[in-house]
Amino acid sequence: MARKTFFSFHYQEDVWRVWNVRNCLVVSKDQEADGFFDGSVFEASKKESDDALKSFLRDGLKNTSVTCVLAGQHTAARRWVRYEIVRSVLKGNGLLTVDIHGIRNDKQVLGVKGTDPLAEVGVYLSKGKLYFAELKAGKWVQYSDYVSSIPASELWFDAPTSENTVVKLSQHCMRYDFAAQNGRENIAGWIETAAGLAGR
């Protein structure tokens, strides 16, 4: 079954590598890929308010069941990648990380492997309520772009039970290497696995 998948990535740094991933999905016809916004659309939206950009990204996630984070060297620290991850959790999407540093860019240069973006966003329990956390300057802090509590019933993974202990999203999600693990042939299966883990 074709999965409608949202792809989260750092546009300026990795767009060439991302389009290589997209092209293999289009050719395979195994997936219906969403989230590949034209750069001019995304850049124009960034000139609007934060609320307008958040709305733009939420709209992009509509009707998707999996969010695939295409990770390069600096993806983990990107504010809007983190927002897409958080909104994906709230939506119940399956999540996975695919490292793309092993794909050459338009100058035929390989990238540098970065941190797993799903390891820098987590969930924690405080006074009986669940909240999102993010890693900033080496410390876990409350996630600032979504400060409401999260109903445990909306999580597809087990909610943390110890107060003020952050559970990283990466503990519940798979991470793959596109170049080293033959992503051209296998990414559709990785996406399907993520969907299954989330019960989608």
Side-chain angles (χ1 to χ4, degrees), residues 5-139:
T5 305
F6 182 89
F7 288 85
S8 180
F9 56 92
H10 178 359
Y11 184 84
Q12 293 88 343
E13 184 81 15
D14 295 314
V15 66
W16 186 270
R17 296 182 176 100
V18 166
W19 279 98
N20 272 279
V21 174
R22 178 188 186 273
N23 288 341
C24 84
L25 286 169
V26 169
V27 168
S28 75
K29 293 185 170 55
D30 285 334
Q31 302 292 312
E32 189 173 348
D34 265 11
F36 288 102
F37 300 118
D38 176 83
S40 61
V41 173
F42 189 74
E43 291 303 314
S45 69
K46 287 202 304 187
K47 294 173 185 168
E48 300 176 22
S49 67
D50 284 357
D51 286 343
L53 181 51
K54 288 177 181 179
S55 177
F56 173 80
L57 295 174
R58 288 195 303 272
D59 284 345
L61 281 160
K62 283 181 181 173
N63 304 316
T64 64
S65 58
V66 176
T67 297
C68 178
V69 184
L70 298 174
Q73 183 176 1
H74 304 293
T75 310
R78 301 295 292 179
R79 176 185 179 186
W80 299 116
V81 168
R82 290 184 176 189
Y83 185 75
E84 290 162 351
I85 290 168
V86 165
R87 295 307 310 196
S88 296
V89 172
L90 292 169
K91 191 178 174 303
N93 275 19
L95 280 164
L96 70 155
T97 297
V98 177
D99 290 306
I100 57 172
H101 63 284
I103 302 172
R104 296 185 185 277
N105 65 11
D106 56 330
K107 298 178 179 63
Q108 295 301 303
V109 176
L110 292 171
V112 175
K113 186 173 183 176
T115 304
D116 184 352
L118 298 179
E120 300 209 349
V121 179
V123 177
Y124 70 101
L125 186 68
S126 177
K127 298 178 181 175
K129 293 187 176 182
L130 294 170
Y131 298 93
F132 286 108
E134 62 180 326
L135 200 59
K136 281 195 168 180
K139 293 185 179 180

Side-chain angles (χ1 to χ4, degrees), residues 145-185:
D145 279 312
Y146 187 91
V147 296
S148 301
S149 61
I150 317 158
S153 60
E154 291 191 10
L155 299 178
W156 53 262
F157 50 86
D158 291 334
T161 54
S162 300
E163 286 275 323
N164 297 314
T165 300
V166 175
V167 176
K168 300 174 184 178
L169 297 182
S170 58
Q171 290 180 225
H172 302 285
C173 305
M174 302 294 291
R175 182 182 189 182
Y176 305 93
D177 186 312
F178 190 87
Q181 295 177 270
N182 192 13
R184 186 166 291 279
E185 297 294 326

